């Protein structure tokens, strides 16, 4: 049993993510779309503290108490803890305390980070000692983005986004995140994309034969060049997110006008991620946008995945 677990509690921190590239293919029979994506974990974290308990329970801080984060089996962290208990025949339960910083329904994988953190925390608390591969398998059963929240760093995701390969990435990228009070539903954004493609006659009967991450995206990450990455940023879901939330286009424009290199909707949105040249430039753009009435968060990537703290 680890030192943390012997004290009856384990604290795990897991990052939110930005998709610096997100290519979406056709919808499969299971309802999921084929993806080619590049995730980058950024320095905005979910904290999960797991304590020994007879039953399973969750408390959440850092969000409005408006029911947007369920405290029952609809909560992905709760499902993660129960899945691990079943998979390892663990007899007891756990009390999960979640401190949220990643926006809820913001397109940054906050719920997936909670689930990844809960898996790592319960694995340590219960001394189940699963291999990284087993944890990855359980994570993939919980949701498409959960394996990446375990993994962190910068990675290429294929399949539903759950088949990961680390991407060579150098240096640090500075981002400003403009969050929204109202979230967007991920399934609704994917459905809107399908509708838009049908309307435009652009949706082929079959998924594209080749759904690959373009070479310039990988090159920009390898060289750590923010200008190159700015040119290569792309999100197929953006058209659908902007269709549902036209104001986000203006947020991107305002960010670029204030000095960001480029901006895009993060994942299914509505968080807008603005890539800046360096930390100083990010601070200057942040100040300019604050004067303009926005309140962006300054984060950087890449950072590690779910980790035990202390
Ligand atoms: O796996 P996760 O729970 O994050 O996915 C939420 C929803 O997003 C899915 O139910 C599906 O509607 C949509 N989705 C998709 N294709 C993906 C990932 C998610 O259509 N590759």
């Amino acid at each position: 049993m680890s030192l943390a677990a012997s004290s009856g509690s384990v604290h795990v921190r897991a990052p939110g993510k930005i998709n610096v590239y997100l290519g979406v293919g056709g919808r499969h029979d299971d309802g999921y779309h084929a993806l080619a994506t590049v995730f980058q974990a950024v320095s905005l974290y979910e904290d999960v503290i797991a304590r020994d308990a007879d039953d399973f329970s969750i408390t959440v801080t850092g969000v409005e108490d408006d029911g947007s984060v369920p405290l029952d089996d609809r909560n992905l962290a709760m499902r993660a803890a129960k899945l691990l208990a079943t998979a390892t025949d663990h007899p007891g339960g756990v009390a999960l305390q979640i401190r949220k910083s990643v926006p809820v329904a913001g397109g940054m994988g906050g719920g997936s980070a909670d689930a990844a953190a809960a898996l790592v925390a319960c694995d340590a608390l219960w001394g189940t000692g699963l291999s990284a591969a087993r944890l990855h398998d359980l994570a993939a059963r919980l949701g498409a983005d959960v394996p990446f929240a375990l993994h962190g760093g910068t990675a290429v995701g294929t399949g539903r986004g759950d088949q990961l390969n680390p991407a060579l990435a150098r240096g640090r990228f500075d981002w400003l995140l403009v969050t929204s009070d109202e979230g967007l539903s991920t399934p609704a954004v994917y459905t809107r994309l399908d509708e838009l493609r049908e309307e435009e006659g652009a949706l082929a009967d079959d998924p594209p034969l080749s759904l690959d991450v373009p070479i310039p995206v990988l090159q920009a990450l390898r060289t750590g060049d923010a200008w190159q990455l700015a040119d290569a940023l792309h999100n197929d879901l953006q058209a659908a997110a902007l269709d549902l939330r036209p104001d986000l286009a203006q947020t991107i424009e305002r960010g670029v006008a204030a000095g960001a290199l480029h901006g895009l909707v993060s994942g299914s949105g509505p968080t807008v991620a603005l890539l800046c040249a360096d930390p100083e430039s990010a601070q200057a753009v942040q100040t300019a946008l604050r004067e303009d009435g926005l309140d962006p968060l300054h984060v950087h990537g890449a950072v590690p995945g779910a980790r035990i703290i202390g």
Side-chain angles (χ1 to χ4, degrees), residues 22 24 26-28 30-35 76 79 109 112 140-146 158-162 185-191 194 237 268:
L22 179 52
V24 181
R27 188 191 283 268
H28 292 306
D30 63 3
Y32 278 85
H33 292 73
L35 298 187
L76 213 50
R79 293 222 286 269
S112 299
R141 283 164 60 183
L142 291 160
D145 290 343
V146 184
T158 52
R160 300 180 308 158
D162 54 335
S185 141
T186 302
V189 176
Y190 275 100
T191 299
D194 289 344
L237 287 178
S268 55

Side-chain angles (χ1 to χ4, degrees), residues 172-176 276-286 298-300:
R172 136 183 187 139
F173 292 97
D174 283 85
W175 301 90
L176 291 178
C276 297
D278 50 39
E280 295 73 30
S281 162
Q283 269 172 21
V285 176
Q286 186 182 40
H298 180 186
V299 300
H300 67 272

Side-chain angles (χ1 to χ4, degrees), residues 174-240:
D174 283 85
W175 301 90
L176 291 178
L177 302 171
V178 185
T179 62
S180 290
D181 290 340
E182 281 280 297
L184 271 176
S185 141
T186 302
V189 176
Y190 275 100
T191 299
R192 189 68 194 122
L193 177 68
D194 289 344
E195 289 167 0
L196 288 174
R197 286 176 166 180
E198 258 172 55
E199 282 167 22
E200 291 164 8
L203 186 67
D205 287 341
D206 297 311
L209 285 177
S210 157
L211 188 62
D212 288 324
V213 174
I215 303 281
V217 179
L218 301 174
Q219 260 169 357
L221 292 165
R222 251 200 321 268
T223 55
D225 186 321
W227 281 266
Q228 263 186 42
L229 186 62
D231 284 342
L233 292 176
H234 175 77
N235 180 1
D236 270 349
L237 287 178
Q238 180 157 315

